[in-house]
Amino acid sequence: MNALEEQIAHLTRAVEDLSDVVARQEREISLLTRRAQLLMEREAEREAQGGGGVVVGDERPPHY
């Protein structure tokens, strides 16, 4: 009986630890999703304003 109680205690602790990890990951995913959305909105605004020009590697900069 003691062995089962110990095993249940260890499993309970493991579940609590995993729950903490999942909660932390959920917060991080939410933050990263918000940041990605803001970057996408910013880039859409930039393209709408006409500043989204493509620079080719062998193209000379305009100041030459």
Side-chain angles (χ1 to χ4, degrees), residues 10-25:
H10 288 295
L11 291 174
T12 301
R13 176 64 189 256
V15 168
E16 290 171 355
D17 289 347
L18 289 173
S19 179
D20 292 343
V21 168
V22 170
R24 182 177 46 82
Q25 288 176 339

Side-chain angles (χ1 to χ4, degrees), residues 5-51:
E5 288 176 355
E6 284 183 34
Q7 188 173 13
I8 289 171
H10 288 295
L11 291 174
T12 301
R13 176 64 189 256
V15 168
E16 290 171 355
D17 289 347
L18 289 173
S19 179
D20 292 343
V21 168
V22 170
R24 182 177 46 82
Q25 288 176 339
E26 191 277 330
R27 286 190 304 270
E28 189 171 350
I29 289 170
S30 294
L31 175 66
L32 293 172
T33 300
R34 279 185 268 142
R35 287 182 180 175
Q37 184 63 35
L38 287 171
L39 289 172
M40 291 173 63
E41 290 172 5
R42 189 181 301 167
E43 184 60 25
E45 289 175 9
R46 185 178 296 149
E47 286 181 10
Q49 293 174 358

